[in-house]
Amino acid sequence: AQSVTQPDIHITVSEGASLELRCNYSYGATPYLFWYVQSPGQGLQLLLKYFSGDTLVQGIKGFEAEFKRSQSSFNLRKPSVHWSDAAEYFCAAVFAGNMLTFGGGTRLMVKP
Amino acid sequence: NAGVTQTPKFRVLKTGQSMTLLCAQDMNHEYMYWYRQDPGMGLRLIHYSVGEGTTAKGEVPDGYNVSRLKKQNFLLGLESAAPSQTSVYFCASRTSGASYEQYFGPGTRLTVT
């Protein structure tokens, strides 16, 4: 079955440290891939997306993600985390048709 | 340009009561979606619409109905609320093009007691 998995439910990093959030998908081809961020009490905002081409994609707020076909992964990274990055992050995919399939989310906490 | 708006922001219902959640978008988007968000489960699609007058079932449609009488509005109805429908509900919209980027509303927190 087609699915998106985010293995880490919670992650805590220190401010200024680097960040990597993991995302894996299960599908027989390359889906369209997305990362969204949800700040407390807010809706979701698109950080970046990958459809094809360069496997390293840049997004807003200093985030980037790398698509690795061999690992069926699309991990999100940021070199230096700021306190304002504390939020919940969702990886999502379009496998076929019109619908986004979401992972379960990773809640990021930032220590001062 | 307000984007996607949702009404109401919060609601408490008793079991068996009915209510309608309203989603409105001012971006002239063709596609609109209703999701529910529960802890650890991400967002799950309830119903969606690919244009005015059309609706389709998503992953978790039971207990909900929808209508898209106007292009800018997408209504989600609960005819007889149950405690299992306690959740945060998000509406989203997008163009019919190939970008697939969905724009989300701020959410409605619904509690059914």
Side-chain angles (χ1 to χ4, degrees), chain A residues 18 24 47:
Chain A
S18 64
N24 296 96
L47 285 175

Side-chain angles (χ1 to χ4, degrees), chain A residues 36, chain B residues 1-5 23-33 48-54 68-74 91-105:
Chain A
Y36 282 85
Chain B
N1 188 337
V4 180
T5 58
C23 176
Q25 52 94 4
D26 61 2
M27 297 174 283
N28 202 34
H29 285 169
E30 290 291 333
Y31 291 18
M32 296 187 74
Y33 304 82
Y48 65 100
S49 167
V50 299
E52 182 178 324
T54 74
R68 182 106 181 263
L69 299 180
K70 294 183 179 181
K71 185 176 183 179
Q72 64 267 33
N73 295 337
F74 195 28
C91 176
S93 71
R94 71 170 181 92
T95 67
S96 58
S99 79
Y100 291 95
E101 178 178 351
Q102 294 186 19
Y103 293 80
F104 284 82

Side-chain angles (χ1 to χ4, degrees), chain A residues 32 36 38 46 51 90 98-99, chain B residues 33 37 45 90 98-100:
Chain A
Y32 297 154
Y36 282 85
Q38 183 183 27
L46 181 69
F51 286 1
F90 292 95
N98 306 309
M99 291 177 282
Chain B
Y33 304 82
Q37 182 182 25
L45 183 65
F90 287 98
S99 79
Y100 291 95

